[in-house]
Amino acid sequence: MKDESWNMIYLFSLTFVIATGVNLSIPLIPLYLRDLGADVFQISVVMSVAGLFSTFLTYLGGFFSDRYGRKLSIILAILLSAFSPFMYTFSKTWVEMIPWVVLFNTSLAFFGPARVAYIADTVDVRELGKIYGLMNMAWPLGGMVGPFLGGYLSDVYGWNASFYFVSLISVISILPAYLLQGRRRSEVGEIEEESPCEEDSNMRTLVMFFFIALLISIGIDATRPLIPLYLSNIFQLSKTDIGFFFTLSFGVTTLITQISASMVLKRYGSKRAMLHSVLLIPIAFILLPWIADYNLLILDYMVINSLWSVTWPTSMDLLMRCVPRGSRGSAAGIRQTGIRLGGAIGPLVGAYLWEILGFSFSFYSSAVAFALCAPLVILIEEPRLRALQKSSTQ
C-alpha cells in the first residue's frame, strides 16, 4: 500500500509537469506562430499536421507500453517534451516550427496511454473512477500554472524564456519517472469486471470509445487554438491576460471538477455522468460567440471546460473496466488515437469555418461534435463488478 501511494505521487508529479508544459503552450503557440508570419489558416495547418503525426504514433505508444513497460514509455515521453520546446527557439519561420510541434505532440502519444494503463494496473478496480479523478487534478493544476506563467514570461522576458522553462521542468521530472515501480496489485481478494461482451463485441466497444474520443477532441480543438486569437482580436487582451483567461477558465475550473469527480461518479455512475456532460456542452458553445461581456465569456468557457473534464475520468474508468488487463495499454492507445486525430481535424474545421463563414460557426461546429457523442455513449454497456472467490491455499 505504501509503495502504491508513492507510485501515485510520482505519477501525479509527472502529470503535473506535462500538463504545465502543454497548457503553457496552448495559448502561446498560436500567438508565436502569428509573430513568425502565419495567418489563422496556416496556424491551424501547423496544429493539424502535428496532430496527424501524433495520431499515427498514439496506438504505437499504447502498444509500446504493453510490450516494453509503462515506465520506459513515460521516460521516453519526458525526453521528447524536454527537447522539442528547446528547439522552438531556433525557428525563424512558422514552417520551421512544424517538426518541433509534431515532436512535442508525440510525447503525449507515449505518455497518455502509459499513464492510464499504469493506474489501472496498480489501483483496485473499485477505486478506478475515484483515483482517475484525483490523478486528473494534475491537469488543471498545470492548467492554472502553465498559461499564466507562460504569458508572464513571454511578456517580460520574451518568447524563449517560456520555452526554456518547459524544457527545464521536463528534465527535472525524469527523477520521479525513474522512481516509478512497475508493480501490479495483488490478485487476492481482487474485484474484477463482469465483461458485458465477447471478443467481437469488445472490438465494437473499442470502436465506440475511439469515436467518442474523436468527437470530443474535435469539439474542443475546433476552437481551443483559436480562442487566443479571438481574445486578442475581439477583446484586445495581452498575452498575460490571455494566459490568465486560460488559468481561470481551464485550470481552476477543471481542478474543482476533478476534486468532485469521485462524488459525481459514485452518485450517477460513469456512463450517466458522461452522457449528461456531452448533452449540456453544445448549449454553452452555441451561446459563446453571442457573449459580448468579458466576465460572462469566462463564465461560459468555465462551464464548457468543467463539463468536458467530467468526461476524463468517466471515459477512462469505463474503458479500463471493459478490456482485459493485458490489453489496457493498447486500448488506452486507441482512445488516445481518437483524441489525437480529433486534435488534428478540429483546428482545420474551426479555422476553415472562421475564414469562410465567420468565427461564430467555429463554435457551432464544436457544439455539433459534442451532440454527436450522445448516441455513442448510450450504446456503451457499463460492466458490472463481481468478486473473485479464490482459495486461501492458492
Side-chain angles (χ1 to χ4, degrees):
M1 180 63 68
K2 183 178 179 181
D3 289 343
E4 178 182 307
S5 298
W6 276 109
N7 284 333
M8 291 299 102
I9 292 172
Y10 298 145
L11 187 60
F12 185 93
S13 302
L14 294 170
T15 306
F16 172 71
V17 170
I18 296 292
T20 298
V22 169
N23 287 288
L24 182 150
S25 302
I26 285 172
L28 293 187
I29 291 300
L31 301 175
Y32 185 55
L33 292 170
R34 185 182 64 179
D35 283 1
L36 292 177
D39 59 27
V40 171
F41 186 74
Q42 289 167 338
I43 291 170
S44 72
V45 168
V46 174
M47 306 306 291
S48 295
V49 169
L52 282 172
F53 272 91
S54 64
T55 296
F56 295 133
L57 292 172
T58 298
Y59 180 75
L60 175 62
F63 176 79
F64 185 92
S65 75
D66 278 341
R67 183 72 179 270
Y68 300 104
R70 321 300 187 201
K71 180 175 176 177
L72 183 59
S73 186
I74 289 170
I75 290 175
L76 177 59
I78 291 171
L79 293 175
L80 293 175
S81 68
F83 179 69
S84 46
F86 179 77
M87 297 304 297
Y88 291 170
T89 63
F90 294 94
S91 300
K92 302 301 180 184
T93 67
W94 67 269
V95 176
E96 294 176 23
M97 278 286 291
I98 295 176
W100 312 126
V101 178
V102 168
L103 201 61
F104 187 76
N105 280 19
T106 300
S107 69
L108 297 177
F110 284 88
F111 180 75
R115 172 183 171 272
V116 172
Y118 184 87
I119 295 172
D121 288 347
T122 307
V123 175
D124 192 303
V125 72
R126 292 167 297 185
E127 302 294 323
L128 268 184
K130 175 183 176 181
I131 298 302
Y132 278 132
L134 293 174
M135 294 296 290
N136 283 342
M137 288 168 55
W139 290 106
L141 285 172
M144 293 168 61
V145 174
F148 181 77
L149 184 58
Y152 175 79
L153 290 173
S154 299
D155 272 336
V156 176
Y157 300 105
W159 289 114
N160 288 358
S162 58
F163 300 140
Y164 289 150
F165 174 77
V166 176
S167 295
L168 177 62
I169 62 174
S170 296
V171 169
I172 294 173
S173 70
I174 291 177
L175 177 59
Y178 177 77
L179 294 173
L180 280 175
Q181 299 297 315
R183 184 179 66 86
R184 294 188 174 185
R185 65 179 183 270
S186 172
E187 293 186 351
V188 178
E190 181 183 349
I191 299 294
E192 287 191 349
E193 267 64 40
E194 187 175 300
S195 176
C197 50
E198 299 299 330
E199 184 175 349
D200 291 344
S201 206
N202 185 57
M203 180 58 66
R204 171 176 167 270
T205 299
L206 290 175
V207 170
M208 286 192 294
F209 273 104
F210 170 83
F211 280 105
I212 289 170
L214 173 68
L215 289 168
I216 289 176
S217 185
I218 289 175
I220 288 296
D221 289 317
T223 51
R224 200 177 189 197
L226 301 177
I227 289 288
L229 304 175
Y230 180 72
L231 296 173
S232 178
N233 295 344
I234 305 300
F235 292 91
Q236 305 299 313
L237 298 185
S238 68
K239 290 188 285 290
T240 301
D241 291 333
I242 292 172
F244 176 76
F245 176 90
F246 276 88
T247 292
L248 184 60
S249 64
F250 174 77
V252 174
T253 301
T254 53
L255 175 61
I256 295 172
T257 304
Q258 295 306 309
I259 290 174
S260 59
S262 59
M263 294 182 291
V264 173
L265 298 186
K266 184 176 181 180
R267 180 167 183 176
Y268 297 104
S270 292
K271 177 178 175 177
R272 189 177 175 189
M274 184 161 61
L275 179 60
H276 287 175
S277 296
V278 299
L279 286 174
L280 292 173
I281 290 175
I283 300 172
F285 264 119
I286 291 171
L287 292 174
L288 198 147
W290 295 93
I291 298 174
D293 181 81
Y294 176 68
N295 293 323
L296 289 178
L297 185 75
I298 291 180
L299 181 61
D300 188 65
Y301 204 57
M302 287 174 70
V303 171
I304 290 171
N305 282 318
S306 177
L307 293 171
W308 169 47
S309 69
V310 170
T311 68
W312 304 352
T314 54
S315 61
M316 289 187 288
D317 176 44
L318 281 173
L319 178 59
M320 291 298 100
R321 294 195 287 117
C322 282
V323 298
R325 176 183 295 179
S327 303
R328 282 170 174 165
S330 298
I334 290 173
R335 172 182 173 272
Q336 195 73 17
T337 298
I339 292 173
R340 304 314 305 165
L341 183 58
I345 296 173
L348 284 177
V349 172
Y352 177 80
L353 293 174
W354 178 307
E355 294 281 12
I356 301 300
L357 300 175
F359 62 82
S360 296
F361 286 86
S362 300
F363 298 111
Y364 298 157
S365 69
S366 293
V368 171
F370 275 99
L372 291 174
C373 290
L376 295 174
V377 175
I378 292 173
L379 290 172
I380 293 175
E381 297 181 55
E382 189 167 10
R384 295 181 297 275
L385 296 173
R386 62 179 173 85
L388 287 182
Q389 302 297 327
K390 291 185 178 288
S391 169
S392 58
T393 61
Q394 285 183 323

